[in-house]
Amino acid sequence: MNAALHPASHRPRSRLRRLIAPLVVPQVFDFWASRLHPTWSWERPLARIVGRSEASADAVTLLLAPNRNWAGRRHEPARAGQHLMIGARIDGALVSRSYSLSEAGRADGRIAITVKAIEGGKLSRHLHRDARVGDVLELGPAFGEMTLPARVDGRWLFVAAGSGITPLMAMTRQLAAQGMPVPLTLLYWARRREELCFVEELRAIAAAHPNFRVRFLLTRQEPRAADEDAGRIDASLLDAHIDDLAARQVYACGPGGFVANARGLIEARAQAFAAEAFTPPPRAVEDTGTVAVTLARSGRTLELARGESLLTALEAQGLKLNSGCRMGLCNTCSCGKSSGATRHLHTGDVHAEPVSSLRLCVNSATSDLVLDL
Amino acid sequence: MTASKRNRALTPTELDRFGAELDALRARTVAQIGRVDADYIRRVVAVVRYTGLLGRLLLMVGAIGGAFVAWLFWPGVILGTALLALSKILENMEVGHNVMHGQYDWMRDPHLDGKTYEWDIVATGDNWRKTHNYMHHTWTNVRGMDDDIGYGLLRLFPEQRWRPFYLLQPFIAVVFALLFEWGVAIQELRVGRWFTGKTKHRAMWRKFVPVGRKMGKQMLKDYVLFPALAGPFFLPVLLGNVVANVIRNLWTYTVIFCGHFTADAEVFPKESVRNESRGHWYLRQLRGSANLSGGKWMDLMTGNLSHQIEHHFYPDLPARRYAAMAVEVREICGRYGQHYDTGSLPRQFGQVMWRILRHAWPSRPRARRPLVRAEAVEAQG
C-alpha cells in the first residue's frame, strides 16, 4: 500500500547503479531481466526455490537462493533466529507472511525456511503443497531480535513448541557448526511424533556433541524412545528434564499460549529469558460498538467494530491491504494515522497521538479515526 | 441540459433499485476476480514490451540499414513507427490508465500499483490520479467540478458560456488532438489561472517542477537517446518517435472524446450532486458516458474504454471484465427506460465533431429534463 514502506528501496546502491538509475524504469528493466533469469531484478529482492524436502508429516523445508538485491546477500547477513517476509503469487495476488529461517549463514548464501501447513493458512498451504523447485518467491529483509550473541557463553535452554522449533533449530545448527561451545538443552513439544521436524538431525547432533541434549515432548501420544516424554509444559516436566534452570539462559518460541505459559514458569527462575510467539496471545474483547474510520487518501468513511483489529475490520469491508505477519512484527500493514485513538490489542495500551506508522493488524479503533489509506 | 427523449425520469424507489441492481452486478464480478485477470494484464504488459522493442529495432534497421540497402528504408521506418505507436497505445490505455485506477492493486505487484505507476506519456501519473481518478470520475460531467468537460479549452455543451474565442475551436481542437499528451500534462497546472494572475508565479513553479521533470524524461528518451543510438542516421528515428507519439495522441483523443461528448451526453449543474444517492450517481455516470461498439480488437485498443459506461460504473474493476458486464448493464438500463449510448467509432466520432463545430457558435441549452421524477413534480408545482 505505502511505497515508502517497501523494504526493497532501503538498499545501498553501487556507484554504477546510482549513475544509471535516472535512465532506468524499474518495471521495464525487471521485465527484460526476468526473461533472462527468473530472479534478476533491478531492486526487488527475489529468491528461487532450489531445494525442497519433507520436514515432517505436515511441514516442508525449502532451500532458497536469493538474488543480489536481498539485504542478506550483501551487507547484513541474516542471523539464526531471525525471520523474513516470504511472498508468493496465489491466484494472481501476492500473499506474504513471515517465516523463521531454519538455517542461516550458509557458505553458499542460500537460506532455508521450514513451513508447517496451517489449517486455513493460504501461504503455508501453498508453500507446503504447490511450491516447486524453480518457483520464484518475494523476499523481505531478515528481522528479529532473538538471536545468539556474537560470543556465546554460559548455559543454554531452548524451549520450542510446534513451528517454534524453526528459529531455535537455526541457532542449534549454528552452535553445532561451532562445535557446541556451550551446554545446550532443547525441549521440543508437539502433539504427535509425526509432527516433529528435524528429529534425525537433532539426534545426530546430540550423538556428536555431548554438550547438547534434546527431549521430544508429546501431548497426544505416549513416549517410546529414551529421549521422549509426554505432557504439556508445567513445572514438574521442566524439573524432570532440566536440573539447573537457575543457571540457564532461556529462549522460548511457539504459539502465544505456549509462550505465555513458558514465561510464567521460567522467567522468574532462570538466569535470562527471551521469547517470541508466532501467534498473538488470546485477547479479551472489551471494546464494543462501532466507530467511523475515514480513509483520507481514498476519501471513504467506514463504520468499523471497536473490538477487532483494524486490518481484519478493513478487509471485511472489502479493502485489499498489504499485510504480512498479522501480529505486529513486520510493519507491512502499517499506515499513517492523523487523528483518533487506537488500542494495541496485545498490550491493551491506548494511543491517541498521531503517528506515521500504525500497525493495522494489532490495533483496534477506540474512537473515530483518520487513516492515511 | 441536452437530455435525450429516450430516457425517462425514475421515481426515487426505482432509482434505489437501479443502484442496487448495479451494485449486485459489481459484487458478482468482484467475486470472480483472480488469476485470469492477473495473467491477462501480464500478457498485455508483455505485448507492450515486445512490440516496443520490435518497433524500435525496425526503426533502427530502416534508418541505419536503409542508408546502405535502399529498399530497407521505408518498410523499416513505417513498420517500426506503427509498432511503436501500437505499443504506446496499449501501454497508455490497457495498462497505464487501468492500473492507475487501481484495477490491479489486489495483485500487490509493485510494478502494477495504482498509486505509484508512471506511464509512458509526458503527463505525470500523480496529476492524472487527481484530475482523472478523483475529479473526473467522482464528478463526471458536472460543470465546474469535472475539468474534462472541454479541458478548459473547448466548448462542447451549450451550457458552457459562449465567447468569441470559441470560433477558433475547430482549429484548436485539431491542434489539441495532435498534442493531446501535452494537454493532459498541463491540465492540473491550470495555466489559465496563472495567466489571469489568480495563481502566483512561485506556486505555479512549484506545481510545474514535477511536470517539467517528467516532460524532460520523456523527451530525452524518445527524442534524444533512441535517435542518438542511430548515430548519423538519427533523423528517421527521431521522426518515427514523433509520429508514433502523434498517432497515439490522435487515438487516445478520439477514444476519450467519444466516451463523453457524443450527441446524447449530458452535463449537470453542481446542485445535482448534493446528497446524491448511489442510484443517482450511477444514473449520472450513464448519462454522461458513451460506448464504442466494435468487438474484441476495439476493446483491446481502447483499453476497454469502448465500455466507457461500465468503466464509469466500476472504475476500479479490471477492465477486461467490462465486456461481460456490459450485457447485464445494458439489460438493466433497458428495463429502467434508460438510453444506453453506444455506436460505431465513425458514428460516435461524427457526433463529437458535430459538437465541436456546432458549439463553436453560440448555442442555447434545451429545456432541462429531470433525472428523478420527484424533481419533476416539484418543478411543476
Side-chain angles (χ1 to χ4, degrees):
Chain A
M1 209 72 352
N2 192 341
L5 295 170
H6 275 291
S9 51
H10 296 299
R11 201 173 47 76
R13 288 186 177 157
S14 70
R15 195 172 296 167
L16 176 70
R17 286 169 70 93
R18 261 205 310 271
L19 201 69
I20 58 172
L23 303 175
V24 175
V25 181
Q27 63 222 45
V28 179
F29 181 92
D30 283 6
F31 178 85
W32 292 114
S34 64
R35 309 290 116 166
L36 301 173
H37 190 278
T39 61
W40 284 359
S41 155
W42 177 248
E43 57 182 8
R44 281 163 90 171
L46 301 170
R48 207 162 59 90
I49 303 179
V50 291
R52 186 194 148 90
S53 56
E54 299 296 315
S56 78
D58 60 352
V60 66
T61 293
L62 301 175
L63 190 62
L64 309 176
N67 66 10
R68 292 174 55 81
N69 296 327
W70 186 61
R73 276 281 301 276
R74 300 170 70 91
H75 51 93
E76 208 178 294
R79 295 158 66 192
Q82 290 193 306
H83 336 252
L84 77 176
M85 294 297 301
I86 298 276
R89 261 188 219 122
I90 302 172
D91 279 335
L94 184 72
V95 179
S96 313
R97 293 284 183 272
S98 67
Y99 289 99
S100 305
L101 289 95
S102 50
E103 196 180 351
R106 285 169 57 115
D108 60 4
R110 292 172 173 181
I111 50 177
I113 56 166
T114 299
V115 179
K116 186 182 157 83
I118 294 166
E119 188 86 17
K122 227 181 189 176
L123 184 57
S124 71
R125 286 206 344 238
H126 170 84
L127 293 176
H128 181 253
R129 201 181 48 199
D130 306 323
R132 293 284 166 265
V133 169
D135 287 3
V136 173
L137 303 175
E138 306 255 343
L139 282 190
F143 64 97
E145 299 303 313
M146 202 178 78
T147 55
L148 291 169
R151 283 181 58 92
V152 194
D153 51 17
R155 304 173 72 77
W156 288 75
L157 169 65
F158 290 169
V159 181
S163 317
I165 186 63
T166 333
L168 298 177
M169 184 67 199
M171 289 189 269
T172 305
R173 279 174 170 152
Q174 185 187 320
L175 289 171
Q178 295 167 10
M180 203 55 74
V182 291
L184 169 65
T185 299
L186 168 64
L187 303 181
Y188 176 13
W189 271 265
R191 283 177 301 186
R192 307 168 166 280
R193 198 168 284 109
E194 56 269 26
E195 290 172 17
L196 291 165
C197 297
F198 316 116
V199 176
E200 297 309 312
E201 191 182 345
L202 285 168
R203 284 182 173 146
I205 296 174
H209 303 281
N211 246 356
F212 176 65
R213 235 160 46 96
V214 59
R215 288 295 175 265
F216 303 103
L217 299 131
L218 307 169
T219 56
R220 295 200 188 159
Q221 276 177 339
E222 288 308 305
R224 273 207 308 245
D227 56 5
E228 289 180 354
D229 201 349
R232 298 186 166 277
I233 185 169
D234 61 22
S236 62
L237 205 55
L238 273 176
D239 290 336
H241 292 285
I242 197 97
D243 49 16
D244 57 347
L245 187 57
R248 298 272 178 167
Q249 303 186 54
V250 184
Y251 277 178
C253 190
F258 173 84
V259 166
N261 282 343
R263 184 184 295 277
L265 290 164
I266 300 170
E267 191 165 26
R269 295 172 56 199
Q271 197 191 65
F273 181 87
E276 229 163 47
F278 55 79
T279 58
R283 31 174 107 123
V285 177
E286 49 206 85
D287 296 334
T288 52
T290 63
V291 293
V293 174
T294 305
L295 309 180
R297 274 200 240 170
S298 48
R300 294 173 65 185
T301 300
L302 304 165
E303 280 286 308
L304 301 183
R306 268 207 178 89
E308 68 186 333
S309 87
L310 281 161
L311 183 62
T312 324
L314 289 167
E315 282 175 342
Q317 297 284 325
L319 269 77
K320 304 273 184 191
L321 300 171
N322 272 345
S323 68
C325 65
R326 303 180 87 88
M327 55 180 290
L329 279 178
C330 68
N331 217 36
T332 310
C333 65
S334 64
C335 75
K337 175 190 77 173
S338 42
S339 78
T342 53
R343 180 190 297 279
H344 197 288
L345 289 164
H346 296 176
T347 63
D349 298 344
V350 174
H351 299 275
E353 70 282 15
V355 290
S356 62
S357 107
L358 173 76
R359 293 172 191 187
L360 297 175
C361 61
V362 288
N363 283 284
S364 67
T366 57
S367 76
D368 290 359
L369 294 182
V370 179
L371 297 178
D372 189 16
L373 282 174
Chain B
M1 185 149 305
T2 51
S4 157
K5 290 185 190 70
R6 286 176 282 192
N7 292 315
R8 71 180 167 84
L10 300 176
T11 66
T13 338
E14 279 180 312
L15 199 59
D16 285 345
R17 276 212 318 261
F18 178 66
E21 287 198 44
L22 290 169
D23 276 342
L25 172 59
R26 177 196 170 86
R28 281 199 296 281
T29 308
V30 166
Q32 294 167 8
I33 290 172
R35 175 171 299 169
V36 279
D37 304 272
D39 290 348
Y40 173 80
I41 196 68
R42 285 184 201 289
R43 223 162 38 235
V44 178
V45 168
V47 172
V48 167
R49 301 277 174 255
Y50 279 107
T51 49
L53 179 72
L54 200 61
R56 292 197 186 278
L57 279 177
L58 284 175
L59 262 176
M60 293 291 166
V61 169
I64 302 173
F68 302 101
V69 188
W71 63 267
L72 278 176
F73 186 80
W74 286 112
V77 168
I78 290 174
L79 211 59
T81 304
L83 275 172
L84 188 56
L86 172 73
S87 173
K88 281 173 173 278
I89 284 170
L90 287 176
E91 196 280 335
N92 283 182
M93 308 291 266
E94 189 69 309
V95 184
H97 170 262
N98 290 335
V99 163
M100 285 200 278
H101 265 292
Q103 294 181 358
Y104 298 95
D105 278 5
W106 57 272
M107 289 171 65
R108 301 193 188 101
D109 180 336
H111 291 336
L112 295 172
D113 179 4
K115 284 196 283 299
T116 56
Y117 191 88
E118 196 56 67
W119 54 358
D120 184 29
I121 73 169
V122 292
T124 67
D126 283 337
N127 280 348
W128 172 262
R129 277 179 269 270
K130 194 169 160 212
T131 55
H132 182 84
N133 287 21
Y134 173 64
M135 293 183 62
H136 170 62
H137 273 271
T138 316
W139 315 116
T140 310
N141 282 20
V142 175
R143 287 178 53 216
M145 296 170 94
D146 176 6
D147 270 355
D148 283 15
I149 301 174
Y151 290 85
L153 199 62
L154 304 175
R155 181 172 183 264
L156 298 165
F157 293 92
E159 285 84 353
Q160 292 171 282
R161 205 179 61 203
W162 184 84
R163 280 178 280 138
F165 166 78
Y166 289 122
L167 289 169
L168 294 172
Q169 155 161 312
F171 169 72
I172 290 174
V174 173
V175 176
F176 185 52
L178 290 167
L179 299 174
F180 190 56
E181 61 171 326
W182 296 89
V184 174
I186 61 169
Q187 187 184 1
E188 171 64 15
L189 297 181
R190 295 162 188 264
V191 182
R193 295 178 63 85
W194 178 48
F195 283 147
T196 53
K198 284 179 195 149
T199 306
K200 298 229 161 59
H201 297 313
R202 183 184 289 268
M204 190 64 198
W205 175 249
R206 263 203 306 276
K207 285 176 84 168
F208 176 75
V209 167
V211 176
R213 193 174 292 142
K214 180 75 193 287
M215 289 172 170
K217 246 183 177 169
Q218 290 297 111
M219 296 215 294
L220 185 70
K221 173 171 71 83
D222 280 347
Y223 305 146
V224 180
L225 280 183
F226 280 112
L229 288 179
F233 313 106
F234 72 96
L235 200 60
V237 180
L238 173 67
L239 284 177
N241 276 277
V242 172
V243 172
N245 276 328
V246 167
I247 293 173
R248 186 263 320 268
N249 282 349
L250 291 174
W251 177 248
T252 48
Y253 172 94
T254 305
V255 171
I256 288 161
F257 273 55
C258 285
H260 293 295
F261 310 130
T262 52
D264 288 329
E266 302 174 29
V267 287
F268 309 91
K270 275 184 186 171
E271 304 89 75
S272 71
V273 292
R274 211 167 284 152
N275 297 323
E276 194 177 41
S277 72
R278 187 77 179 148
H280 199 280
W281 182 85
Y282 275 124
L283 199 57
R284 177 162 61 78
Q285 303 296 335
L286 175 66
R287 302 257 187 116
S289 311
N291 282 8
L292 290 167
S293 56
K296 276 194 170 162
W297 276 100
M298 183 62 91
D299 291 350
L300 177 68
M301 292 302 290
T302 58
N304 281 288
L305 286 182
S306 48
H307 294 288
Q308 189 72 248
I309 294 173
E310 287 74 22
H311 175 56
H312 265 268
F313 283 0
Y314 314 110
D316 56 342
L317 297 192
R320 62 176 289 279
R321 296 273 170 186
Y322 295 157
M325 301 176 89
V327 180
E328 279 190 70
V329 168
R330 197 169 182 170
E331 186 269 329
I332 293 169
C333 291
R335 264 193 288 117
Y336 286 87
Q338 299 303 311
H339 174 53
Y340 184 88
D341 188 355
T342 182
S344 68
L345 182 68
R347 177 179 176 271
Q348 303 291 69
F349 196 61
Q351 294 183 359
V352 171
M353 287 201 284
W354 170 245
R355 258 192 195 275
I356 292 172
L357 295 173
R358 173 63 190 93
H359 299 299
W361 301 89
S363 53
R364 226 181 304 163
R366 272 181 255 171
R368 192 171 167 227
R369 291 169 65 88
L371 291 173
V372 186
R373 199 174 287 171
E375 287 179 24
V377 175
E378 280 165 21
Q380 285 160 6

